[in-house]
Amino acid sequence: MSDFDLSLSGTVILPDRVIERGHVAVRDGKVALVGEGIGPEARERHDLGKAMILPGAIDAQTHSLSQKDQEDFIWSTRSAAAGGVTTIVDMPYDEGNLVCSAEAVRIKVDHASPQARVDFALYGTINPEEGASRIAEQAEAGVAAFKFSTFGTDPIRFPRIPPALLEQCFAAVAKTGLTAGVHNEDDEMVRAAIAKVKAAGITDYRAHGLSRPPLTELLASLQIYETGAQTNCPAHVVHCSLARGYEIARTYRDQGFAATIECCIHYLTLDEENDVARLGGKAKINPPIRPRAEVEKLWQHVAAGNVTLVSTDHVSWSEDRKTNPDMLANASGVPGLEVMVPLFIKGALDHGVPLTWAAKLMAENPARHFRLDHVKGALELGKDADITVLVDRRQVYDAARSGYNVVGWSPYNGIELPWTVAGTWLRGQQVFDGTDVLSAPGTGRFVRPETRA
């Protein structure tokens, strides 16, 4: 009898190559073999033909608790499993619980653990009134990165961190070896632009883009990277909608600084003149969705290697908070966990981008970024057997029909996806079979970054 628990054969997508007729074998929840040809005998064996076999995706940016009594981890991790996402990294801005202390981290871990269907890691942040004093204790409690904002959405739940305090935070984060991620919009410029839009009486879909013109984003990104350079702290822009932003990040990296940058899947998929015009508040996201010409430039940056991570910035607002005819009155953010991987595959194929970037930008790089790469992010011997399988079965996406989301709306409804997630494995255990989410609440685990000297 074989000593492998699972054997999958198909087209294996790795960060550096594609094995057209390849296989992955699993033993005791870990990757035990990757090679060419039909896979070895195993207790469970699947010959998947030309199906894509990818490392399980790591979504670097999710908001499971932004709306109280709405989504929670019971639903976000369900969407993740159905979307081929095996680890989520959840943001610290929870309604009713700002994750800004070791105790808050423990509360969130204890809250999420009985619900999670896939693994999860956590961001930490600060309460501006406490300054940077609790950063070290959160690192000790197991957060994988820190999140700050140059724009204040809410003075308590999502506060602006002014420049002097941001410098203090970066200096404290640098001592932990983790990364400082920052929401990149200049507060003063955004507020001035909002006032201008309101004075002009513009309330339709155009209002959001006009209220956050490109310079609001670019000035904040420059502040973030220069603060990192001055404090010797790895600096990360958590979402960039503009090609110029990726050029700025590349410049800092070329100068030897740790300057990373994240592209959300909506910036690679949706555009202002078609999708925002059609969807209104359901496409309101900060920073805004940009014109199609900008979307095409972003794909060029993906191909050039200037994008560090691809994520969703997932949040499942109830529909009533996304349908106000006054564009600026809507909540910002959209759900995306279930569809990020197939959307990226579609976009890559449409733009002639090698599929190896899927394994790199949604698995290998996020694992390294959050220091989870000792167990996550790759189909490599000894690492967790987190695996996503996609088959060439076309479907028109419909969030309501799938049943894996707490809300039945999505800005991606109606998009035809050429490849469909047909199976997800977490640590060698199948958590989605293409039809049903199989993992019970509590299957997922809290993943801590590796301790490094």
Side-chain angles (χ1 to χ4, degrees), residues 48 63 150 216 226 310 360:
L48 301 168
H63 297 261
T150 54
T216 62
E226 194 57 34
V310 169
K360 185 177 287 290

Side-chain angles (χ1 to χ4, degrees), residues 70-85:
Q70 170 67 4
E71 181 169 44
D72 220 327
F73 283 81
I74 197 74
W75 279 103
S76 64
T77 57
R78 180 178 182 142
S79 297
V85 175

Side-chain angles (χ1 to χ4, degrees), residues 256-273:
F257 299 109
T260 52
I261 190 163
E262 193 166 329
C263 188
C264 299
I265 194 64
H266 41 260
Y267 299 130
L268 293 170
T269 305
L270 307 174
D271 67 60
E272 182 181 38
E273 60 268 39

